[in-house]
Amino acid sequence: MTDMRPAPRALLVDFDGVLRRWPENDWIIERAHGLPMGAIRAAAFEPALLARAITGAISDEAWRQEIVARLLMAHGSADVGAAVAEWSTPAGALDPRVHEILAQCRNGLRLVLVTNATTRLPQDMAQLGLDGFFHAIANSSAVGSAKPDAAMFEAALSMAGVAADEALYVDDSPRNVSVAQAMGLRSCVFRGHESLRAFLQSHGVWQTANAMARWDR
């Protein structure tokens, strides 16, 4: 059956788990500073605390201070401040294959980052060399709502200046993808750079003329 929806004018894409990767070295930091394995993430990603950080109720700095306070309460003898400082230093790393695929999208397609992130996101983007790469950035801590809330997708669509049926969406979370699909966005669960490339090709927004030669050689 022919897809009667308009040609895509925007690509909305998730950040962590799609374009950005984080090192799996927490245990090295924890061991060096006298913390048990998994302690930092258990404190940092406690659901209620994380929700406050990624919806902008508290700043990134306040979030990290709270992580230190919780670790001190649970592991007072550890070098907690140094551990969290070291854990906080990296900005992650870009997946170069995903980055290149996004860069090769059709001219005129609006790229919008849609991410649950703290107020530190602009600093991370600059450190990763992504300033100016996206047409717009829907950061949950600036929007005041986090995926999978529909408000995040509505904010991203507004930034892109397109209707839901004019947008594509890619995320590694099936839950987020389900919400986007229910709103009318043509969406894909990210399962690696090849799935991303296939999805974009299927909707005619990936520039294949020169890109295929680059990827297949």
CSV table of all heavy atoms in Angstrom, one decimal, residues 100 104 197 206-217:
chain,number,residue,atom,x,y,z
A,100,GLU,N,28.2,10.0,11.1
A,100,GLU,CA,28.4,10.2,9.6
A,100,GLU,C,27.1,10.0,8.9
A,100,GLU,O,26.8,10.8,8.0
A,100,GLU,CB,29.5,9.3,9.1
A,100,GLU,CG,29.8,9.5,7.7
A,100,GLU,CD,31.1,8.8,7.2
A,100,GLU,OE1,31.6,8.0,8.0
A,100,GLU,OE2,31.5,9.0,6.0
A,104,GLN,N,25.1,12.8,6.5
A,104,GLN,CA,24.9,12.5,5.1
A,104,GLN,C,23.4,12.6,4.7
A,104,GLN,O,23.0,12.2,3.6
A,104,GLN,CB,25.4,11.2,4.7
A,104,GLN,CG,26.9,11.1,4.8
A,104,GLN,CD,27.5,9.7,4.7
A,104,GLN,OE1,26.8,8.7,4.9
A,104,GLN,NE2,28.8,9.6,4.4
A,197,ARG,N,20.6,3.4,9.0
A,197,ARG,CA,20.8,3.7,7.6
A,197,ARG,C,19.6,3.1,6.8
A,197,ARG,O,19.1,3.8,5.9
A,197,ARG,CB,22.1,3.1,7.1
A,197,ARG,CG,22.4,3.4,5.7
A,197,ARG,CD,23.8,2.9,5.3
A,197,ARG,NE,23.9,1.5,5.4
A,197,ARG,CZ,25.0,0.8,5.0
A,197,ARG,NH1,26.0,1.5,4.5
A,197,ARG,NH2,25.1,-0.5,5.1
A,206,TRP,N,18.3,9.7,3.1
A,206,TRP,CA,19.8,9.4,3.2
A,206,TRP,C,20.4,9.6,1.9
A,206,TRP,O,19.9,8.9,0.9
A,206,TRP,CB,20.0,8.1,3.8
A,206,TRP,CG,21.5,7.8,4.2
A,206,TRP,CD1,22.1,8.5,5.2
A,206,TRP,CD2,22.4,6.9,3.7
A,206,TRP,NE1,23.4,8.0,5.3
A,206,TRP,CE2,23.6,7.1,4.4
A,206,TRP,CE3,22.3,6.0,2.7
A,206,TRP,CZ2,24.7,6.3,4.1
A,206,TRP,CZ3,23.5,5.2,2.4
A,206,TRP,CH2,24.7,5.4,3.1
A,207,GLN,N,21.4,10.4,1.8
A,207,GLN,CA,22.1,10.6,0.5
A,207,GLN,C,22.9,9.4,0.1
A,207,GLN,O,24.0,9.3,0.6
A,207,GLN,CB,22.9,11.9,0.5
A,207,GLN,CG,22.1,13.1,0.8
A,207,GLN,CD,23.0,14.4,0.9
A,207,GLN,OE1,24.2,14.3,1.2
A,207,GLN,NE2,22.4,15.5,0.7
A,208,THR,N,22.4,8.6,-0.8
A,208,THR,CA,23.1,7.4,-1.2
A,208,THR,C,24.1,7.5,-2.3
A,208,THR,O,25.0,6.6,-2.5
A,208,THR,CB,22.1,6.3,-1.6
A,208,THR,OG1,21.4,6.7,-2.7
A,208,THR,CG2,21.1,6.0,-0.5
A,209,ALA,N,24.1,8.6,-3.0
A,209,ALA,CA,24.9,8.7,-4.2
A,209,ALA,C,26.4,8.4,-4.0
A,209,ALA,O,27.0,7.6,-4.6
A,209,ALA,CB,24.7,10.0,-4.9
A,210,ASN,N,26.9,9.2,-3.0
A,210,ASN,CA,28.3,9.0,-2.7
A,210,ASN,C,28.5,8.2,-1.4
A,210,ASN,O,29.6,7.7,-1.2
A,210,ASN,CB,29.0,10.4,-2.5
A,210,ASN,CG,29.0,11.2,-3.8
A,210,ASN,OD1,29.2,10.6,-4.9
A,210,ASN,ND2,28.7,12.5,-3.7
A,211,ALA,N,27.5,8.2,-0.5
A,211,ALA,CA,27.7,7.5,0.8
A,211,ALA,C,27.8,6.1,0.6
A,211,ALA,O,28.6,5.4,1.4
A,211,ALA,CB,26.4,7.8,1.6
A,212,MET,N,27.2,5.4,-0.3
A,212,MET,CA,27.3,3.9,-0.4
A,212,MET,C,28.7,3.6,-0.7
A,212,MET,O,29.2,2.6,-0.1
A,212,MET,CB,26.3,3.4,-1.5
A,212,MET,CG,24.9,3.4,-1.1
A,212,MET,SD,24.6,2.3,0.3
A,212,MET,CE,24.9,0.7,-0.4
A,213,ALA,N,29.4,4.3,-1.5
A,213,ALA,CA,30.8,4.0,-1.9
A,213,ALA,C,31.7,4.1,-0.6
A,213,ALA,O,32.6,3.3,-0.4
A,213,ALA,CB,31.3,4.9,-3.0
A,214,ARG,N,31.4,5.1,0.2
A,214,ARG,CA,32.1,5.3,1.4
A,214,ARG,C,32.0,4.1,2.4
A,214,ARG,O,32.9,3.6,3.1
A,214,ARG,CB,31.7,6.5,2.1
A,214,ARG,CG,32.1,7.8,1.4
A,214,ARG,CD,31.4,9.0,2.0
A,214,ARG,NE,31.9,9.2,3.4
A,214,ARG,CZ,32.9,10.0,3.8
A,214,ARG,NH1,33.4,10.8,2.8
A,214,ARG,NH2,33.2,10.1,5.0
A,215,TRP,N,30.7,3.6,2.5
A,215,TRP,CA,30.4,2.6,3.5
A,215,TRP,C,30.8,1.2,3.0
A,215,TRP,O,31.1,0.3,3.8
A,215,TRP,CB,28.9,2.6,3.9
A,215,TRP,CG,28.6,3.7,4.8
A,215,TRP,CD1,28.1,4.9,4.6
A,215,TRP,CD2,28.9,3.7,6.2
A,215,TRP,NE1,28.0,5.7,5.7
A,215,TRP,CE2,28.4,4.9,6.7
A,215,TRP,CE3,29.4,2.7,7.1
A,215,TRP,CZ2,28.5,5.3,8.1
A,215,TRP,CZ3,29.4,3.1,8.5
A,215,TRP,CH2,29.0,4.3,8.9
A,216,ASP,N,30.8,0.9,1.7
A,216,ASP,CA,30.9,-0.4,1.2
A,216,ASP,C,32.4,-0.7,0.8
A,216,ASP,O,32.7,-1.9,0.4
A,216,ASP,CB,30.0,-0.7,0.0
A,216,ASP,CG,28.6,-0.7,0.5
A,216,ASP,OD1,28.3,-0.9,1.6
A,216,ASP,OD2,27.7,-0.4,-0.4
A,217,ARG,N,33.2,0.2,0.8
A,217,ARG,CA,34.6,-0.1,0.4
A,217,ARG,C,35.4,-0.7,1.5
A,217,ARG,O,35.1,-0.6,2.6
A,217,ARG,CB,35.3,1.2,-0.2
A,217,ARG,CG,35.5,2.3,0.9
A,217,ARG,CD,36.0,3.5,0.2
A,217,ARG,NE,36.2,4.6,1.2
A,217,ARG,CZ,36.4,5.9,0.9
A,217,ARG,NH1,36.5,6.2,-0.4
A,217,ARG,NH2,36.6,6.8,1.8
